[in-house]
Amino acid sequence: MHRVLNTIVYILLLLSIAPIAEAKDFVIVIDPGHGGKDAGALGMRTNEKSINLNVALKLKRMLERDMDDVKVLMTRDSDRFIPLQKRADFANRKHADIFISIHANSISSKSPAHRRINGAAVYTLGLDRSDTNLSVAMRENEVMKLESDYSTTYEGFDPSSTESYIAFEMMQHKNMD
Ligand SMILES: [Zn+2]
């Protein structure tokens, strides 16, 4: 857990240099993944949505304690379901300088690596060509299907189709700049 937090805070420090020079509040939106009817990955004793929320709350406390020129906002601070688009809308409405979506991964107990796996992974916006990145994005975005009107909201984006991600990546370049 500590390694996850250390990695995230380190990245924040790197990205915060330019906006602070402009003497404006740096807005950080923390997004605890999943929530409510969407539990995320399931463990023996807990589930992903609870871990994500607790890590997010802890990260918020650390940032507010250690960085007095940042404003920290959360997409959720309780156990409730928020559609993916609403999370992005919230960050855009608040003019977020950085959006951090926190997730916890799982591995099947049948996998031989089950007892050895640990550590943290950090993904930045943009899908590179690696199959791992793509499969993580596809798995996480399956949550769209829990929304009754997902094909309207996401304008035909199909979370299980590779072609959708190719089109999506092209659209993303505009926002990444
Ligand atoms: Zn997740």
Side-chain angles (χ1 to χ4, degrees):
M1 196 69 76
H2 256 99
R3 289 174 61 180
V4 175
L5 289 171
N6 287 343
T7 313
I8 292 166
V9 171
Y10 177 67
I11 286 167
L12 280 177
L13 292 173
L14 286 178
L15 293 176
S16 63
I17 294 166
I20 286 168
E22 293 163 18
K24 83 173 179 100
D25 271 346
F26 190 80
V27 180
I28 299 172
V29 169
I30 304 175
D31 173 47
H34 311 277
K37 65 182 175 184
D38 171 23
L42 298 172
M44 296 278 279
R45 282 163 300 173
T46 186
N47 53 42
E48 185 189 348
K49 66 176 182 176
S50 312
I51 294 171
N52 295 344
L53 180 58
N54 284 307
V55 170
L57 288 168
K58 189 168 186 176
L59 176 61
K60 181 176 192 282
R61 282 196 297 273
M62 288 169 67
L63 290 169
E64 287 174 341
R65 185 192 63 206
D66 298 338
M67 303 173 83
D68 50 15
D69 43 10
V70 301
K71 186 155 90 181
V72 184
L73 304 168
M74 309 257 295
T75 54
R76 69 178 178 97
D77 54 14
S78 62
D79 180 22
R80 60 196 180 94
F81 178 76
I82 303 171
L84 297 182
Q85 185 61 50
K86 288 260 169 10
R87 297 171 193 253
D89 290 346
F90 176 81
N92 284 325
R93 200 165 60 240
K94 300 293 182 184
H95 303 288
D97 293 287
I98 185 167
F99 179 82
I100 305 170
S101 192
I102 294 177
H103 289 259
N105 218 334
S106 66
I107 184 166
S108 164
S109 54
K110 295 192 181 80
S111 163
H114 175 237
R115 298 219 170 269
R116 287 183 277 119
I117 292 283
N118 63 69
V122 177
Y123 298 86
T124 56
L125 183 68
L127 302 163
D128 76 14
R129 280 158 195 79
S130 91
D131 291 345
T132 327
N133 259 13
L134 184 61
S135 68
V136 167
M138 289 174 92
R139 193 169 63 237
E140 290 290 351
N141 288 336
E142 280 291 314
V143 63
M144 282 177 188
K145 292 181 174 171
L146 294 178
E147 298 168 35
S148 53
D149 54 348
Y150 89 92
S151 59
T152 315
T153 311
Y154 301 102
E155 296 173 357
F157 183 87
D158 176 357
S160 25
S161 134
T162 310
E163 287 79 5
S164 281
Y165 286 87
I166 294 169
F168 183 57
E169 189 178 7
M170 288 157 78
M171 283 160 55
Q172 265 190 332
H173 282 295
K174 199 175 66 183
N175 290 329
M176 284 175 73
D177 287 342

